[in-house]
Amino acid sequence: MSRRLLPYLILCIFIFSSINSIAQSIHVGFKGRVLDDKRMPLEAIVSIHELGRSTIANSEGYFGFPELKPGNYHLHVTHIGFKSFSKNIEVTLGENYLEVQLVESAILLASMTVEANPFKNGPLEQSQTILILDREFIQKNNGGTFANAIEKLPGISTINTGVGISKPVIRGMSFNRIMINDRGIKQEGQQWGADHGLEIDPFDVDRVEIVKGPASLIYGSDGMAGVINIAPAAFKQNGEIEANYSGLYRSNNDMVSHSLFVDGNEKDLIFRARFTAQDYSDYRVPADNFVYAGFLLPIFDNRLKNTAGSERHFSFTGGVQKNWGYSTLTVSGFNQQAGIFAGAVGIPNSYNLRHDGDHRNIDIPRQDNQHYKVIWNNNLQLGKYWMELDLGYQRNQRKEFSLPHTQGVGPNDFGNLALSLNLDVFTANMRLNQQHGEGGQSVLGFNAQQSVNRHSGFEFLLPNFESFQGGVFYFREQRINKNLVWNGGLRADGAFHDIDEHLQPIFVRLEPTGEFDQRNPDINRSFFNISGSTGVSWVFKEDINVKFNLGSAYRIPTPIELASNGVHHGNFRHEVGNPDLEAERSYQADLNIALSKKKVHFSVSPFFGYFDNYIYLGPAPRFSPLPGSSLLWEYRQNNAIFTGAELMSQLAIFKNFNFSFGAEYVYNLNLDTGLPLPLTPPFSTLTGLEYKVPKINKQVQNLYFFVESRRVATQNRVDRNERVTEGYHIWEAGLGWELNLQNNSIQFQVSGQNLTNAVYFNHLSRYRLLNLPEQGRNISFSINIPLNIR
């Protein structure tokens, strides 16, 4: 272990020496004023990206940052009802003053700014399609998991396993083709599993930036389909301390959630802490039977037995914020205990499905998930350069418990522990950013990651392995003229997998035979890749922004794709890896055309990708020889294409009344078989209306009503041996308001999902394979209570 830590210790010493060398410096001020297009002052929020500092302009529109080091900064200015403004500024020893004029807009999206790490620029400079979500959106759409909160965006779907387990899909791709970055560190938690949700506290997310399309250039191998950046809230100003309570209740599974948060800054010492507790019972479905492995089995009282769960999460951040940048240390823990539907594990048995008298009981089979992280984030000014350095350690522990005899296993050394996966990951990311004034910017950086996985239990799915991967990249952005920006870059990567052989004991009639089955041999594989991308962003007549990005991305086969060989009960299938898989290569083109006016926003994003050696899991034309499974699924590799488009629009019909419409379509084709790839999202639309009531009185404010309609088409473009899924139409509606009490604004929301209690199936849900529909009607109540302590 000491050799693994040595590079990180060297980086720590480097950081401390850098901080010590820049602590003493000359201080200068920066001032400015914010006006609207009629030159009336605005009390806008003004932020400096690199420092995490923000201030609010006064009633005359003036703002200031009194103590800055000379250098380059990226400035953000936002105000509700206006388009956001961003600009690279250079602070010198002389007078530094900037006047900003904001353009009025009734569209909420226009007020958001892009801060996609590691770029320090605005929406114009980005050539890729980027969606931005703030805390208000996440709170409004909190469905109990982080992934469910973002699925209302065009191009974003989710893979669900019951309640509490969900993961995102971007343009029909998921698992190891999407990278989730939490505070700059790639989230590693056995994400190859469709039944393995993201270990992210949905209440501990303040801002989300979703990059669609190939992002391997900056982020590495798993950014082939896109990247989701999760960012914390901006730091409080010196002397500020705030607390917050958030509560949520959902009627379908009696989910009760509580989350407490405190955030403050005391003489540039910053601190924040959060604790979240969620508990839920067995959830309800509009069905009374299902089919598993050819058996027709009952559902008692329309509730799926043993789908209850309990979660306890925490996070704590402490650090310093100075005029040279900031350095913070975050420690977090995600703890989840979730029941696994008893009718979906092992040999089918109707006796196990009978109600046990307690819908909140978490019995066997179940999964216990713990994910602990230590993340050290640093952003340091080095002359005209900014160095971002993120170090992370993660330990993911995933345990699945079930009764051995239901899976054809007799007495063993593990008791009821069916599967245990313990993953340790060390991560280091460094980026050196140089601003070239109004001419653009350049970024030089590297990423490195080492993973160690150990397994135990009477089942086998994933072997022991050690893996290392790392890469270096260079990115350049150049402003051709006022309205045209070009960018491009190159990346080189290497990786190595060392996978151990596994011999699984053979049982016959629950008795060990003394013989062993080789599930996988020793595998040692190394990979090297070069990738790159280029793109342009062009503003036409101030209202139309055209973005085009062309990129070549890659993905390294994972150990699960190379060496798995066992029943994955959460997916109801026997999965078999292929040790001869090669690295994937993709060539992707992405176009985005956006029209943004005062009362209208419209964007369309067509995309196309050719994938060489695309790796996927597909159903085989034979059954598994292992007990408790049906079809056998194999990891395969073929050439494929992905294409489609997303449409997003908002229209302010009249004051305070907004209409929105989004649509998404994904088409893919296996070029070797001539068939679609499995688990492709169907065409869908989401239509919404929202009305904000004018101010009622001093106590009740910001009252709004909304209604949404989602239509999903039948998915009949399926792979061989994959089932067709019928389309559906569901409704959601709700209202929210704020209650002002003693200078604190308490937020309430009441909403209902699947209001008609429709029976429908999600094509991406594994429960669809059991003829189990999605949740029935669900009424949600939420409350948010902020407290200004100081």
Side-chain angles (χ1 to χ4, degrees):
M1 182 69 71
S2 60
R3 278 189 291 178
R4 296 193 192 106
L5 290 174
L6 182 59
Y8 299 91
L9 293 176
I10 294 173
L11 287 172
C12 292
I13 295 172
F14 174 69
I15 296 172
F16 281 124
S17 63
S18 299
I19 293 175
N20 183 65
S21 66
I22 63 180
Q24 302 298 325
S25 61
I26 299 173
H27 297 169
V28 295
F30 178 82
K31 298 179 180 180
R33 193 182 189 195
V34 184
L35 305 170
D36 63 13
D37 49 5
K38 297 179 182 178
R39 300 198 60 80
M40 297 298 294
L42 293 173
E43 297 181 23
I45 300 174
V46 185
S47 307
I48 294 180
H49 179 99
E50 294 83 356
L51 300 178
R53 288 185 182 274
S54 63
T55 187
I56 299 177
N58 63 22
S59 59
E60 296 299 319
Y62 290 103
F63 68 89
F65 295 93
E67 294 186 349
L68 298 179
K69 290 182 60 181
N72 296 312
Y73 300 87
H74 189 67
L75 197 73
H76 295 305
V77 183
T78 60
H79 191 285
I80 296 297
F82 292 82
K83 290 185 179 181
S84 63
F85 173 88
S86 61
K87 182 180 179 64
N88 293 328
I89 59 173
E90 183 177 3
V91 176
T92 64
L93 294 178
E95 182 179 353
N96 300 280
Y97 182 85
L98 176 68
E99 184 177 281
V100 176
Q101 256 189 298
L102 297 184
V103 179
E104 189 175 359
S105 175
I107 304 303
L108 177 62
L109 291 173
S111 67
M112 299 183 184
T113 57
V114 175
E115 297 181 9
N117 190 24
F119 304 112
K120 298 178 177 65
N121 53 22
L124 165 64
E125 292 85 357
Q126 293 287 341
S127 64
Q128 287 187 283
T129 303
I130 298 179
L131 301 176
I132 311 164
L133 306 178
D134 60 7
R135 171 164 287 278
E136 181 181 352
F137 179 94
I138 296 167
Q139 287 180 339
K140 181 178 178 180
N141 297 284
N142 188 350
T145 69
F146 165 68
N148 288 131
I150 65 176
E151 65 177 336
K152 289 187 178 181
L153 299 173
I156 309 296
S157 310
T158 57
I159 295 177
N160 300 305
T161 300
V163 177
I165 301 174
S166 181
K167 65 197 327 170
V169 178
I170 298 179
R171 293 176 171 174
M173 290 178 277
S174 186
F175 311 113
N176 287 83
R177 291 185 181 86
I178 294 178
M179 184 179 294
I180 313 293
N181 289 323
D182 182 18
R183 295 175 173 88
I185 293 295
K186 176 187 174 187
Q187 179 86 1
E188 286 285 359
Q190 311 287 3
Q191 60 264 31
W192 47 265
D195 62 327
H196 302 166
L198 293 177
E199 296 87 358
I200 299 290
D201 179 357
F203 291 92
D204 200 26
V205 177
D206 188 81
R207 180 184 177 89
V208 180
E209 295 169 351
I210 302 174
V211 183
K212 295 182 182 179
S216 297
L217 171 65
I218 302 294
Y219 299 98
S221 169
D222 288 358
M224 176 171 278
V227 171
I228 298 176
N229 287 314
I230 300 172
F235 301 135
K236 295 299 178 185
Q237 299 308 296
N238 187 18
E240 289 184 344
I241 300 177
E242 291 185 358
N244 180 278
Y245 166 78
S246 297
L248 174 69
Y249 172 77
R250 292 171 66 83
S251 65
N252 181 277
N253 62 338
D254 303 311
M255 172 184 280
V256 179
S257 306
H258 305 280
S259 187
L260 294 172
F261 179 62
V262 63
D263 189 8
N265 184 333
E266 187 66 31
K267 296 181 180 179
D268 290 334
L269 295 178
I270 52 181
F271 58 90
R272 54 177 48 138
R274 180 178 292 277
F275 176 76
T276 298
Q278 290 198 141
D279 295 281
Y280 46 91
S281 63
D282 301 337
Y283 75 90
R284 299 172 175 87
V285 294
D288 53 19
N289 60 66
F290 70 103
V291 177
Y292 178 47
F295 291 83
L296 181 65
L297 300 170
I299 300 175
F300 292 94
D301 298 326
N302 301 112
R303 303 183 78 144
L304 297 189
K305 179 183 176 182
N306 202 42
T307 55
S310 178
E311 301 180 14
R312 301 291 182 268
H313 317 312
F314 71 87
S315 68
F316 175 79
T317 299
V320 294
Q321 178 193 35
K322 298 290 185 179
N323 65 331
W324 44 257
Y326 60 83
S327 178
T328 63
L329 184 70
T330 300
V331 179
S332 65
F334 179 98
N335 297 271
Q336 178 189 59
Q337 186 179 85
I340 301 175
F341 179 44
V345 174
I347 301 170
N349 189 330
S350 61
Y351 175 80
N352 295 333
L353 297 173
R354 293 181 181 176
H355 178 41
D356 57 9
D358 186 359
H359 288 300
R360 288 192 176 273
N361 181 41
I362 305 173
D363 203 352
I364 293 176
R366 72 172 192 271
Q367 57 176 291
D368 294 353
N369 305 315
Q370 290 83 38
H371 193 97
Y372 300 102
K373 291 183 287 193
V374 180
I375 299 175
W376 191 16
N377 299 119
N378 301 273
N379 197 8
L380 310 175
Q381 186 182 24
L382 304 174
K384 292 187 177 182
Y385 298 88
W386 283 93
M387 183 186 73
E388 295 176 290
L389 196 146
D390 305 316
L391 302 178
Y393 167 71
Q394 301 175 73
R395 179 164 181 81
N396 183 271
Q397 297 174 296
R398 178 175 299 277
K399 296 181 180 180
E400 296 183 4
F401 296 87
S402 63
L403 300 174
H405 68 271
T406 65
Q407 298 173 43
V409 176
N412 61 86
D413 296 334
F414 302 102
N416 293 330
L417 179 60
L419 184 65
S420 175
L421 299 174
N422 299 292
L423 180 65
D424 292 279
V425 182
F426 299 89
T427 306
N429 303 321
M430 191 278 287
R431 296 168 295 276
L432 195 64
N433 185 291
Q434 180 183 11
Q435 296 287 342
H436 302 285
E438 293 297 327
Q441 65 171 322
S442 58
V443 183
L444 176 67
F446 77 85
N447 316 98
Q449 176 177 298
Q450 184 161 6
S451 306
V452 180
N453 188 80
R454 295 292 180 261
H455 80 91
S456 62
F458 62 78
E459 284 185 5
F460 173 76
L461 185 59
L462 175 64
N464 296 336
F465 70 83
E466 294 192 20
S467 177
F468 175 85
Q469 60 188 64
V472 295
F473 67 88
Y474 177 77
F475 170 85
R476 182 69 169 92
E477 174 191 286
Q478 181 65 46
R479 184 179 292 274
I480 306 301
N481 57 46
K482 178 182 177 181
N483 294 327
L484 182 63
V485 178
W486 167 88
N487 65 57
L490 290 173
R491 181 185 179 95
D493 272 272
F496 178 77
H497 293 320
D498 182 6
I499 304 173
D500 296 341
E501 176 192 37
H502 179 76
L503 301 175
Q504 183 74 0
I506 298 175
F507 287 78
V508 174
R509 295 180 180 177
L510 303 184
E511 294 293 330
T513 64
E515 299 180 349
F516 296 86
D517 175 27
Q518 186 192 56
R519 291 292 180 88
N520 72 273
D522 283 322
I523 301 173
N524 293 281
R525 297 288 305 276
S526 59
F527 303 88
F528 178 80
N529 287 276
I530 294 178
S531 59
S533 69
T534 185
V536 294
S537 178
W538 176 47
V539 174
F540 178 69
K541 292 186 177 180
E542 302 299 329
D543 296 322
I544 301 175
N545 186 197
V546 179
K547 301 174 184 286
F548 177 74
N549 194 79
L550 184 65
S552 174
Y554 72 96
R555 191 176 73 83
I556 297 166
T558 65
I560 188 69
E561 293 167 337
L562 296 170
S564 64
N565 190 351
V567 179
H568 197 172
H569 290 284
N571 291 340
F572 324 122
R573 62 197 181 200
H574 180 178
E575 300 177 359
V576 179
N578 181 352
D580 298 321
L581 294 175
E582 299 295 331
E584 294 181 11
R585 169 69 68 181
S586 73
Y587 304 91
Q588 301 180 61
D590 186 277
L591 178 67
N592 178 266
I593 302 173
L595 169 67
S596 184
K597 290 182 174 292
K598 181 178 178 179
K599 295 185 177 182
V600 177
H601 175 85
F602 175 86
S603 68
V604 59
S605 303
F607 61 90
F608 176 84
Y610 170 79
F611 291 78
D612 187 31
N613 289 324
Y614 182 85
I615 300 171
Y616 67 100
L617 190 63
R622 61 186 185 279
F623 287 93
S624 167
L626 301 179
S629 181
S630 55
L631 278 181
L632 187 145
W633 288 58
E634 302 171 317
Y635 280 100
R636 305 169 183 167
Q637 195 159 42
N638 296 110
N639 296 335
I641 60 171
F642 275 77
T643 188
E646 297 116 25
L647 183 147
M648 183 166 57
S649 62
Q650 288 187 354
L651 172 64
I653 301 175
F654 52 83
K655 188 176 181 180
N656 298 324
F657 189 70
N658 291 330
F659 167 82
S660 64
F661 178 78
E664 59 187 13
Y665 177 67
V666 175
Y667 175 94
N668 57 40
L669 184 67
N670 185 325
L671 296 178
D672 295 319
T673 66
L675 297 171
L677 291 165
L679 299 177
T680 301
F683 172 75
S684 67
T685 64
L686 180 64
T687 305
L689 291 171
E690 180 173 349
Y691 177 66
K692 295 183 178 180
V693 179
K695 184 177 179 180
I696 300 175
N697 53 49
K698 292 183 178 180
Q699 283 70 45
V700 180
Q701 296 182 356
N702 296 325
L703 176 64
Y704 63 88
F705 301 87
F706 71 92
V707 60
E708 293 178 343
S709 169
R710 179 176 290 277
R711 288 184 177 272
V712 178
T714 297
Q715 182 55 288
N716 49 26
R717 295 194 71 257
V718 294
D719 193 10
R720 186 179 293 114
N721 301 314
E722 186 185 17
R723 292 167 49 183
V724 170
T725 303
E726 295 296 324
Y728 57 89
H729 182 200
I730 55 176
W731 290 87
E732 178 176 348
L735 72 156
W737 67 96
E738 293 182 7
L739 181 64
N740 291 325
L741 295 175
Q742 298 180 348
N743 297 323
N744 288 312
S745 180
I746 303 176
Q747 300 171 332
F748 298 88
Q749 179 174 292
V750 181
S751 61
Q753 297 78 40
N754 191 11
L755 290 172
T756 62
N757 205 35
V759 178
Y760 71 99
F761 299 86
N762 181 353
H763 187 70
L764 302 185
S765 171
R766 274 85 56 231
Y767 280 4
R768 162 184 72 94
L769 303 176
L770 307 179
N771 292 320
L772 283 175
E774 296 299 301
Q775 290 186 58
R777 184 182 297 108
N778 205 345
I779 307 300
S780 301
F781 302 87
S782 67
I783 183 173
N784 185 65
I785 306 175
L787 299 173
N788 295 315
I789 298 176
R790 191 170 67 200

